[in-house]
């Protein structure tokens, strides 16, 4: 039986919506915040083909040759307000976790409200809580680089 889990995070960033959009869609900006502290996401190891059907891929690197690559496909791209993308292949996940992420960006008086929703398959609630904590750390980094 396939396990599923989902959660939503909402953040208010002190930056215009176009800047937050660029942080999600431009490799140079994405590299500044994507990933946990202690790991780097080199711009040369990022692909962001932001159109429906396009691929996203980011390789996080750490000490002693550690590397992990995350990737998926964009399902919806509506600049500068909505991104829907997969991690892994939720339609055919095999035994591994996969998910669909929806990022909504709303202009709130010159600031940006971001609603982040992730629905995972082959994912139990414990894994989802770990992913949620990870994204919260990423978004802390995003907030800092938008200043």
């Amino acid at each position: 039986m396939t396990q599923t889990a989902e959660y939503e995070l909402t953040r208010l960033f002190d930056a215009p919506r176009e800047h937050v959009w660029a942080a999600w869609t431009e490799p140079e900006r994405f590299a500044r915040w994507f990933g946990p502290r202690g790991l780097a996401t080199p711009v040369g190891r990022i692909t962001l083909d932001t159109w429906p059907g396009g691929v996203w891929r980011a390789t996080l690197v750490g000490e002693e040759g550690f590397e992990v690559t995350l990737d998926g496909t964009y399902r919806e791209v509506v600049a500068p307000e909505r991104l829907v993308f997969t991690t892994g292949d939720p339609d055919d996940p095999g035994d591994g976790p996969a998910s669909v992420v929806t990022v909504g960006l709303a202009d709130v008086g010159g600031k940006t409200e971001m609603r982040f929703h992730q629905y995972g398959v082959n994912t139990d609630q414990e894994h989802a809580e770990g992913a949620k904590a990870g994204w919260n750390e990423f978004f802390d980094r995003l907030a800092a680089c938008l200043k």
Side-chain angles (χ1 to χ4, degrees), residues 9-20:
L9 302 168
T10 302
R11 288 286 187 106
L12 184 65
F13 295 110
D14 190 10
R17 182 166 67 165
E18 291 73 19
H19 291 189
V20 180

Side-chain angles (χ1 to χ4, degrees), residues 1-7 87 89-100 118-129:
M1 181 176 172
T2 301
Q3 293 182 312
T4 62
E6 67 183 300
Y7 60 90
T87 62
D89 184 355
D91 297 325
D92 186 19
D95 293 331
S99 67
V100 177
Q118 187 166 27
Y119 172 82
V121 294
N122 290 342
T123 303
D124 59 23
Q125 197 58 42
E126 182 180 349
H127 182 270
E129 289 301 317

Side-chain angles (χ1 to χ4, degrees), residues 57-127:
R57 180 174 298 112
T59 300
L60 295 92
V61 299
E63 295 179 4
E64 300 177 17
F66 174 82
E67 288 191 6
V68 63
T69 299
L70 304 173
D71 62 4
T73 304
Y74 291 101
R75 291 186 169 181
E76 292 180 48
V77 179
V78 182
E81 62 191 58
R82 183 174 166 89
L83 278 176
V84 179
F85 59 90
T86 64
T87 62
D89 184 355
D91 297 325
D92 186 19
D95 293 331
S99 67
V100 177
V101 171
T102 302
V103 177
L105 303 175
D107 180 18
V108 181
K111 297 182 180 185
T112 303
E113 180 183 78
M114 181 183 76
R115 291 188 176 271
F116 177 94
H117 178 266
Q118 187 166 27
Y119 172 82
V121 294
N122 290 342
T123 303
D124 59 23
Q125 197 58 42
E126 182 180 349
H127 182 270

Side-chain angles (χ1 to χ4, degrees), residues 19-81:
H19 291 189
V20 180
W21 177 263
W24 276 99
T25 60
E26 295 176 11
E28 297 78 16
R29 294 182 190 215
F30 192 79
R32 294 180 199 153
W33 68 270
F34 187 81
R37 289 177 185 85
L39 295 180
T41 310
V43 70
R45 307 286 301 271
I46 297 172
T47 301
L48 301 176
D49 296 329
T50 49
W51 59 82
V55 172
W56 77 273
R57 180 174 298 112
T59 300
L60 295 92
V61 299
E63 295 179 4
E64 300 177 17
F66 174 82
E67 288 191 6
V68 63
T69 299
L70 304 173
D71 62 4
T73 304
Y74 291 101
R75 291 186 169 181
E76 292 180 48
V77 179
V78 182
E81 62 191 58

